[in-house]
Amino acid sequence: MRPFIVAGNWKMNKTLEEGLTLVREVLARFERTPPNTTVVFAVPCPLLQAISEVLRERQGFYLAAQNCHHEEQGAYTGEVSAAMLVSVGAQYVILGHSERRQYFRETHEQLARKVTVALRHNLTPIFCCGEPLAVRERNHHLPYVARQLRASLFHLSETDLRRVVIAYEPVWAIGTGKTASSAQAQEMHAAIRQLVAKRYSSETAQAIPILYGGSCNAQNASQLFQQPDVDGGLIGGASLRADEFSAIICAARST
Ligand code: PGA
């Protein structure tokens, strides 16, 4: 059975005190996570260590960074390496978020290297893919996402690919309040699984978790999560409030 994953992507929000309060409020609502459900907090780098301490010994709750550099170390002022993230307690790292691709010009090649370096350090990449609105309107969304996966994930061995989480996030749905319909999400998730089956094997395609992201909230989560190929969500805005994020975690239970 694939794990169900609810990951909160805080982006560039929350100071240390605000972040600690939010995590403590979410943890207070759960003795443990719902069965087979993993909860991930993807927090800004300066908050990682302190939040890691709060999450310690809380089964089912994990910590993620939102990016890492593709080199091991060196003269890259302002950047953060995979080894550094591990050293402060991160277990996951979001890679290839559309905001990184768009505002920081991250390329397919850089992302392929980031995925490799993350896995080398035993970080689980949450690899984001998804098409902009113009591509969806031309009905080219399936080949567009296929290209993102081929260019940045399909260099991995089958064993390594099984250590990756994929997040499908249509760019037009991120932060816009416009969620993909359950049918649109399911179509893409099934297509991604088919691509993985073709490149690797159907066992690996069945094993890999595929999350949906883009204006997912407490109202629409359970409908999205009921789709057979949707294995959870990558939640932006709705992860910034304890009540809303907790409701989304509970929506995982019904699947
Ligand atoms: P959103 O962001 O839920 O605010 O649309 C999702 C994301 O960017 O991961």
Side-chain angles (χ1 to χ4, degrees), residues 32-255:
R32 50 158 305 134
T33 57
N36 193 38
T37 301
T38 294
V39 175
V40 180
F41 295 95
V43 312
C45 273
L47 282 59
L48 282 168
Q49 169 135 35
I51 291 181
S52 152
E53 276 156 28
V54 176
L55 295 182
R56 193 168 296 155
E57 323 238 315
R58 290 301 306 259
Q59 225 188 324
F61 292 92
Y62 296 89
L63 185 63
Q66 301 172 8
N67 179 35
C68 75
H69 198 265
H70 56 269
E71 294 287 353
E72 291 283 347
Q73 60 182 54
Y76 300 101
T77 301
E79 290 293 320
V80 173
S81 73
M84 292 171 194
L85 298 180
V86 172
S87 76
V88 290
Q91 294 103 354
Y92 290 76
V93 60
I94 296 177
L95 293 176
H97 191 281
S98 64
E99 288 151 17
R100 302 281 329 163
R101 294 176 190 259
Q102 186 183 343
Y103 303 136
F104 302 95
R105 303 263 176 272
E106 291 190 356
T107 64
H108 295 308
E109 294 69 28
Q110 281 170 340
L111 290 172
R113 293 178 65 188
K114 287 181 189 221
V115 168
T116 300
V117 90
L119 288 170
R120 191 182 301 139
H121 290 274
N122 282 326
L123 281 169
T124 301
I126 300 177
F127 179 81
C128 301
C129 55
E131 79 289 354
L133 184 59
V135 172
R136 162 80 49 179
E137 282 173 346
R138 275 186 283 124
N139 205 26
H140 282 178
H141 47 289
L142 298 178
Y144 186 95
V145 168
R147 170 140 195 272
Q148 291 178 319
L149 299 182
R150 281 197 200 99
S152 305
L153 280 190
F154 285 3
H155 63 291
L156 296 174
S157 69
E158 184 158 7
T159 317
D160 277 348
L161 188 85
R162 282 203 189 208
R163 300 163 61 207
V164 173
V165 174
I166 295 175
Y168 168 56
E169 298 205 304
V171 179
W172 47 271
I174 295 177
T176 57
K178 241 200 223 174
T179 323
S181 69
S182 306
Q184 286 172 322
Q186 171 57 27
E187 178 201 35
M188 181 62 81
H189 286 222
I192 291 171
R193 233 180 267 293
Q194 245 175 30
L195 281 171
V196 173
K198 230 167 119 189
R199 165 69 179 83
Y200 296 92
S201 65
S202 54
E203 292 73 32
T204 293
Q206 285 310 314
I208 192 160
I210 308 177
L211 317 185
Y212 168 79
S215 297
C216 186
N217 58 38
Q219 279 71 48
N220 59 31
S222 53
Q223 227 207 336
L224 286 159
F225 291 174
Q226 267 156 31
Q227 301 307 305
D229 287 300
V230 175
D231 306 312
L234 182 55
I235 320 296
S239 73
L240 297 174
R241 282 185 32 208
D243 51 355
E244 177 108 18
F245 190 55
S246 302
I248 297 171
I249 296 170
C250 291
R253 204 197 308 253
S254 60
T255 58

